[in-house]
Amino acid sequence: MEESIETIRQQMQSLRETIENHNYRYYVLDAPIIPDAEYDRLFRELQQLEQRYPELMSPDSPTQRVGAAPLKEFRSVVHRTPMLSLNNAFEDKEVEAFDRRIREELKIDDVDYAVEPKFDGLAVGLTYENGLLVRGATRGDGYTGEDITANLRTIKSIPLRLPVQFPPALLEVRGEVLILKADFERLNLEQQKKGEKLFANSRNAAAGSLRQLDSSITARRRLTFFAYGLGVHEGGTIPYKRHSEELAYLASLHFPVVCEYKVVSGVAALLAYYRQMAASRDRLPYDVDGVVYKVDDLTQQKQLGFVSRAPRFAIAHKFPAQEAVTDLLDIEVQVGRTGALTPVARLAPVFVGGVTVTNATLHNEDEIKRKQIRIGDKVIVRRAGDVIPEVVGIVPEQRSSHAKPFSMPDLCPVCGARAVRLPGETVTRCTGGLFCPAQRKQAILHFASRRAMDIEGLGEKLVEQLVDQSIVRTPADLYKLGLAALASLARMAEKSANNVLQAIEKSKNTTLARFIYALGIRHVGESTAKTLAQYFGQLDRLMVADAGQLQQVPDIGPVVALSIADFFAESHNREVIEQLRSCGVTWSESNEMAVPRSHLIQGKTFVLTGTLPNMARDEAKDRIERLGGKVTSSVSSKTDYVVVGTDPGSKYDKAVQLAVPLLDEAGLIELLEGRAEKCESKDDVG
């Protein structure tokens, strides 16, 4: 029995080491060598063994990362050596003064500095005794912190046991806990789905996660740790000459160490590193708020010592703040070149990201609702590099009783046309495409483009002049241009003006399909324009068709139909079309409407399950709906077809049970292309 227990013990230890090695490769190196399913299998195997043999449980087991019982409060921890903060520099001259003081104190001409990014996270200290993690604490006031060992044990990038045969008797590792940018986005998405409060920024999320009294909550947050130095240590073979050697030593113990650190010499190199990191800041996977310069030589560090509560041998060179809090004075709506209505925050002036900001984007109505933003709120504004400033959240505890909710206007604030939001879209758009001043340049450029009215010589620069000088307000005004008006424009000689006028005159004779496309109706491309021209034969028939009639046209789904109907419902658009006709724009028309054969898919209900070999699910759904079919998420007796790919799941079983016809991708394509004449009903499908 003893031999059997020893075998089990060795098996469990081997599993623990294997799992921790995979944690290291996944969370530290970002280079996993096994699939998630295999990792889960190993983890379950260890869990089952520990349940069967609780006497063989080990505190360094990876199964202990899931969280312990909730605490009533955190205990205080006195740091063996203080965890002091750094003095800050904000300008180059402060860095130059720092370097000058160091050189004067050490009486040398050049100093080697270890330089690294300054994380925007939470500083912690990890204490290992004989290689085993026994305690983790926050910095606190530098001398006393909070014992958050249970929470830190849940972070998979922190070793629970040092992977060396002869570890130091005592080793304190210091570093930063943070949330990577991608993990922060996922966390807020999960919060949104659960209807819970969103985190304003990744630092708040990391700090809030670390200070949970229930460590199982911390375990569900994807926290990351980066080591940046050593505290007290006893025994073992530990580098003692340079800070850069300490970082290499920490990496050898499987601690994550930032790869952007380096050793440089002299103040010019310090400032070059600062500018390099500032330029790449937005591309880093984590948030940083500056860089840290430390004298690399540990003997020189000791000689320089400390002043007040900060070391004299190190300084943090801070980036301009990327976030700041200010008042949201109002929300105005801007109209873009394509008719998109965008809410813009008008802010009390605030200095952020190196500039004074008074306006910031709010993206769209859904984002305003998701972030629960109201006019009059205290808001958090973020500006990263050259990115347009945005409102990322509110300060709810400072909300005024006079704060007002925002709603998108029903009319375009520029031209007064109806503003609509089509199903499935996040953007509200102006329907006055042919006459809205905000859309003039875009509308005229599209109207004159080669595949539309094909007006040669009417390029972007000429259109800008015509619109900016109020010579052209709508496409109809192009046909009222005279030689004098054109020739008076910059870089437009009489001969060039004559060529443009001739091209405009030539464009009057067009086709109905080209004219429909030239109108710039949202979702109506060349192919759809041709289909509409063939189906209706006459523009007047198209202009009076409602959304229901438009959906009878092949390839026209509900969204496109609504977009077309909204465009022609706007009286100003109809007025511009009438002016174009009056100016002599003409095309041949058919007296009869086309009566296409009813499509096999029209009116049918489909369910998609599994992965199709060549067609994405969204593409299949879109093609079905454009032909008048309907795609639902569940199988019932009313389902006409179930389209089956690989790994279909329970929907396939339900379809077989209810005898619903099954289609593979090839069968679906036959239906889409109208070639499956025998698939008109369930009774005809095997």
Side-chain angles (χ1 to χ4, degrees):
M1 177 64 71
E2 285 299 322
E3 185 176 76
S4 174
I5 285 293
E6 184 56 31
T7 301
I8 296 297
R9 187 195 308 276
Q10 292 175 4
Q11 181 185 355
M12 292 169 70
Q13 186 58 31
S14 175
L15 279 169
R16 289 172 188 138
E17 291 174 359
T18 300
I19 292 170
E20 284 299 339
N21 182 55
H22 289 307
N23 282 337
Y24 169 65
R25 298 191 66 87
Y26 186 94
Y27 293 101
V28 179
L29 301 182
D30 194 24
I33 57 174
I34 62 170
D36 290 348
E38 175 62 12
Y39 177 91
D40 293 340
R41 186 192 67 77
L42 294 170
F43 196 88
R44 284 196 302 272
E45 183 180 349
L46 178 58
Q47 278 183 317
Q48 290 166 359
L49 285 171
E50 289 178 342
Q51 288 168 3
R52 285 167 53 195
Y53 301 96
E55 69 276 15
L56 299 182
M57 176 67 75
S58 173
D60 64 328
S61 173
T63 62
Q64 300 307 297
R65 293 187 185 273
V66 297
L71 301 173
K72 292 183 179 180
E73 61 181 7
F74 294 118
R75 293 188 300 108
S76 294
V77 174
V78 176
H79 300 302
R80 293 176 184 244
T81 57
M83 290 184 66
L84 302 181
S85 55
L86 301 176
N87 286 327
N88 294 325
F90 295 94
E91 299 179 10
D92 289 1
K93 62 183 181 181
E94 294 175 272
V95 177
E96 292 166 356
F98 164 75
D99 174 67
R100 185 170 58 253
R101 287 195 302 271
I102 297 294
R103 289 186 289 107
E104 290 174 352
E105 180 73 22
L106 296 176
K107 296 180 173 59
I108 56 177
D109 293 331
D110 282 306
V111 179
D112 288 339
Y113 294 99
V115 294
E116 57 201 62
K118 183 180 182 300
F119 296 113
D120 193 13
L122 200 72
V124 298
L126 308 173
T127 300
Y128 291 81
E129 293 180 359
N130 297 313
L132 187 67
L133 176 63
V134 295
R135 186 166 51 258
T138 63
R139 171 188 282 152
D141 64 3
Y143 298 94
T144 304
E146 292 177 314
D147 187 335
I148 55 168
T149 308
N151 290 344
L152 290 169
R153 290 174 64 87
T154 69
I155 301 175
K156 294 184 179 179
S157 54
I158 293 178
L160 298 179
R161 179 183 289 276
L162 300 180
V164 289
Q165 188 173 2
F166 301 107
L170 176 67
L171 180 70
E172 186 185 9
V173 177
R174 292 180 172 177
E176 200 96 357
V177 172
L178 49 88
I179 296 182
L180 300 180
K181 291 176 182 177
D183 292 330
F184 176 67
E185 290 178 8
R186 282 197 289 267
L187 174 59
N188 260 350
L189 188 61
E190 291 168 3
Q191 292 288 102
Q192 181 185 354
K193 288 179 179 177
K194 293 187 291 188
E196 296 180 4
K197 177 184 173 182
L198 301 186
F199 293 100
N201 54 54
S202 59
R203 189 186 190 283
N204 288 354
S209 301
L210 266 189
R211 298 198 74 257
Q212 293 288 333
L213 292 170
D214 184 350
S215 59
S216 65
I217 297 176
T218 309
R220 295 196 292 270
R221 312 266 172 88
R222 287 178 62 94
L223 297 176
T224 298
F225 173 80
F226 282 94
Y228 58 60
L230 294 175
V232 64
H233 48 81
E234 298 172 3
T237 306
I238 298 174
Y240 58 87
K241 292 185 178 180
R242 291 186 171 272
H243 174 71
S244 52
E245 293 176 352
E246 286 186 346
L247 293 180
Y249 172 68
L250 287 166
S252 74
L253 296 179
H254 290 188
F255 287 98
V257 173
V258 65
C259 60
E260 286 82 8
Y261 88 87
K262 60 172 65 174
V263 177
V264 302
S265 181
V267 69
L270 293 180
L271 297 177
Y273 179 78
Y274 173 85
R275 294 186 179 96
Q276 173 195 339
M277 293 305 300
S280 60
R281 179 183 188 183
D282 297 330
R283 297 191 296 272
L284 294 175
Y286 38 72
D287 285 323
V288 296
D289 58 2
V291 297
V292 175
Y293 311 134
K294 299 177 183 176
V295 172
D296 192 39
D297 188 298
L298 298 181
T299 302
Q300 292 176 348
Q301 284 191 10
K302 188 174 182 180
Q303 181 180 340
L304 291 162
F306 297 81
V307 57
S308 184
R309 299 170 64 89
R312 298 178 64 193
F313 55 79
I315 196 169
H317 192 179
K318 300 291 287 290
F319 294 138
Q322 287 192 308
E323 289 187 351
V325 175
T326 189
D327 293 312
L328 175 60
L329 304 177
D330 200 1
I331 297 176
E332 296 181 6
V333 175
Q334 292 182 346
V335 185
R337 290 163 61 94
T338 62
L341 272 62
T342 303
V344 176
R346 302 303 183 199
L347 307 167
V350 61
F351 192 76
V352 57
V355 300
T356 298
V357 172
T358 56
N359 303 319
T361 182
L362 291 163
H363 298 293
N364 54 56
E365 189 175 18
D366 286 351
E367 279 293 283
I368 293 175
K369 290 179 179 177
R370 182 178 72 83
K371 295 172 181 174
Q372 301 177 8
I373 296 170
R374 295 185 181 182
I375 299 169
D377 274 343
K378 287 281 187 184
V379 294
I380 301 166
V381 182
R382 181 177 177 83
R383 181 181 180 272
D386 295 327
V387 178
I388 297 171
E390 65 170 332
V391 174
V392 296
I394 63 172
V395 185
E397 55 270 19
Q398 296 187 38
R399 168 164 285 169
S400 164
S401 59
H402 303 295
K404 299 182 299 182
F406 168 82
S407 58
M408 194 66 77
D410 297 324
L411 301 178
C412 171
V414 174
C415 69
R418 284 195 315 122
V420 300
R421 178 175 168 180
L422 296 176
E425 295 194 354
T426 59
V427 176
T428 300
R429 295 181 186 275
C430 166
T431 59
L434 291 184
F435 69 94
C436 179
Q439 302 175 67
R440 278 177 185 161
K441 292 177 184 178
Q442 184 72 19
I444 293 167
L445 278 169
H446 176 78
F447 184 86
S449 63
R450 186 168 61 86
R451 291 185 172 88
M453 301 301 287
D454 192 20
I455 303 176
E456 190 174 348
L458 198 64
E460 187 171 351
K461 291 183 179 178
L462 180 54
V463 168
E464 283 185 357
Q465 289 189 78
L466 291 169
V467 173
D468 290 344
Q469 297 185 33
S470 299
I471 297 172
V472 170
R473 292 179 173 83
T474 74
D477 291 338
L478 294 172
Y479 297 94
K480 303 171 187 176
L481 282 172
L483 181 62
L486 267 180
S488 67
L489 297 175
R491 297 184 298 277
M492 180 60 68
E494 188 172 316
K495 182 178 180 181
S496 300
N498 257 319
N499 290 339
V500 173
L501 289 175
Q502 289 175 17
I504 291 173
E505 185 65 26
K506 180 183 176 183
S507 74
K508 287 182 178 179
N509 294 312
T510 187
T511 66
L512 179 56
R514 275 181 173 269
F515 186 79
I516 293 170
Y517 175 63
L519 296 178
I521 305 169
R522 182 160 174 78
H523 296 306
V524 176
E526 288 180 84
S527 176
T528 302
K530 288 177 183 177
T531 302
L532 290 168
Q534 292 168 358
Y535 185 89
F536 288 100
Q538 297 181 3
L539 181 65
D540 289 336
R541 293 194 189 114
L542 170 61
M543 289 174 65
V544 298
D546 62 25
Q549 293 170 312
L550 287 162
Q551 287 187 65
Q552 302 303 312
V553 181
D555 293 341
I556 302 293
V559 172
V560 180
L562 191 57
S563 180
I564 297 168
D566 284 337
F567 180 89
F568 288 117
E570 181 51 59
S571 60
H572 290 89
N573 286 337
R574 297 197 303 272
E575 183 181 331
V576 174
I577 292 170
E578 186 56 41
Q579 289 177 15
L580 286 164
R581 283 170 151 173
S582 299
C583 290
V585 178
T586 185
W587 54 84
S588 61
E589 292 189 331
S590 170
N591 288 328
E592 295 183 1
M593 288 181 63
V595 184
R597 172 177 57 83
S598 178
H599 199 281
L600 299 173
I601 281 178
Q602 188 170 332
K604 305 293 185 184
T605 299
F606 290 73
V607 171
L608 307 174
T609 181
T611 304
L612 299 179
N614 301 302
M615 192 185 305
R617 182 172 294 200
D618 285 346
E619 179 188 354
K621 182 175 184 289
D622 180 62
R623 291 184 65 177
I624 290 168
E625 289 178 343
R626 281 195 285 115
L627 293 173
K630 179 181 179 183
V631 178
T632 63
S633 59
S634 58
V635 180
S636 71
S637 58
K638 295 181 180 179
T639 304
D640 292 290
Y641 301 107
V642 172
V643 182
V644 181
T646 56
D647 300 324
S650 61
K651 294 176 184 177
Y652 169 81
D653 299 331
K654 187 74 176 290
V656 172
Q657 179 186 345
L658 296 176
V660 176
L662 304 175
L663 295 174
D664 58 10
E665 184 180 80
L668 174 62
I669 291 173
E670 286 190 354
L671 268 183
L672 292 169
E673 295 178 353
R675 295 186 280 114
E677 297 291 346
K678 294 182 180 180
C679 295
E680 293 272 9
S681 68
K682 292 183 182 180
D683 295 336
D684 296 326
V685 180

